[in-house]
Amino acid sequence: MDCRSLIGKLEAQRSLTRAEWSFLWSSYAAADRIYAAERAHRISCNIFGKKIYIRGIVEFSNCCKNDCFYCGIRKSNRLVARYNLSDEVIVECCRSGWENNIRTFVLQSGEVGSKAVEHICQLVQKLKKTFPGCAVTLSIGELSSSEYSALRQAGADRYLLRHESADEKHYSKLHPAYMKLKNRLECLENLHRIGFQTGCGVMLGSPFQNADTLAEDMVFMQNFKPEMIGVGPFIPHKDTPFKDHPAGTLEDTLFMISLCRIMHPEVLLPATTALGTLQQDGRLLGVLAGANVIMPNLTPQSVQENYNLYNNKLHTDSAVSVAIAQLQSSLASIGYSIAVGRGDFGE
């Protein structure tokens, strides 16, 4: 058994055993990562061409009911200046994206809990009416099945809920005791059943992660078959219990992107902001490793610095039109361009 043959098996069969995944994560070298990136890039180009879908993120609130040990906006961090954007501001954020050919809006916040669901349903309806034909993605955490159904009925199209770790012991080391992996996985199953295009995902290099926990993640994603996978490096935040843990590596994150593309060829796979935080050209390297989505930030500049999930998070310091032009230019440098449209799974 060697890494390159396992990557070939993954491409042929779309699956590996838990033991094979563990071996791959514990044994891969730079040459194996480059080989995986070449295979993943070829697969992505065959399906999507050299086009990148863009989604405009609006980080509408940094209030959160949870206390995850890695997150800069965790409930007990009293150094955060909390904010909630009004519906009017959110609509204007989306309008700035709409005027620059963004057709998918991602509404992201801390975990809001049940009390905000009715209001978010109304907001989704307003966005769908104001921007006909747009797609709305939500990333607002764990809710009940009935609450997810209400959001879907209101018009939400997609839902992002990173599982963070599919290994129960590892998950418990990242979260307070009241947060259970079982509940998070049940939420993901409910989202799929209700009809959302559903995204899960992991942080590479999170504290206490190892080849065996990563193998659990790969087996879970292999079987769950998400429409979206969010893969980014762990980056510590100075005001959390994990402030002194080292960041995840660019190499591990790029390898995960490539493996996810090979495993699920049609999955929607972002090159995340955190990749760009690790290295200036990190998102472009993500595209070359198999990613096909980039998410420009539409959040007002006045509050972006208060949505710091980790240290040195990239902020958008220019108008949306300028940021999109800069993105077009950087993508052109590697032979890519922006695809105009919603960019639904299986499109």
Side-chain angles (χ1 to χ4, degrees), residues 163 200 217-226 229 264:
H163 65 281
C200 59
D217 289 319
M218 302 311 292
V219 169
F220 166 70
M221 292 190 289
Q222 185 173 279
N223 295 332
F224 182 62
K225 296 179 173 60
I229 299 176
H264 292 314

Side-chain angles (χ1 to χ4, degrees), residues 125-147:
Q125 291 170 335
K126 184 179 296 186
L127 292 176
K128 300 288 276 195
K129 182 178 180 180
T130 306
F131 308 107
C134 76
V136 175
T137 301
L138 299 176
S139 182
I140 57 177
E142 296 179 6
L143 297 167
S144 70
S145 178
S146 61
E147 288 162 344

Side-chain angles (χ1 to χ4, degrees), residues 297-333:
N297 198 335
L298 306 180
T299 310
Q301 294 174 34
S302 59
V303 298
Q304 280 188 35
E305 65 179 16
N306 296 322
Y307 201 85
N308 279 349
L309 308 182
Y310 47 83
N311 289 342
N312 304 314
K313 181 173 177 279
L314 284 182
H315 299 140
T316 302
D317 298 323
S318 53
V320 174
S321 59
V322 175
I324 295 299
Q326 291 171 340
L327 175 59
Q328 288 173 323
S329 177
S330 64
L331 287 172
S333 72

Side-chain angles (χ1 to χ4, degrees), residues 168-180:
E168 190 167 4
K169 288 184 179 179
H170 183 221
Y171 185 90
S172 70
K173 293 178 179 179
L174 303 178
H175 302 90
Y178 64 84
M179 294 184 68
K180 304 296 184 184

Side-chain angles (χ1 to χ4, degrees), residues 60-61 63-65 109-117 120 140-141 143:
F60 67 91
S61 172
C63 300
C64 188
K65 68 182 181 67
S109 70
E111 296 231 9
V112 297
S114 301
K115 63 183 180 181
V117 170
I120 293 175
I140 57 177
L143 297 167

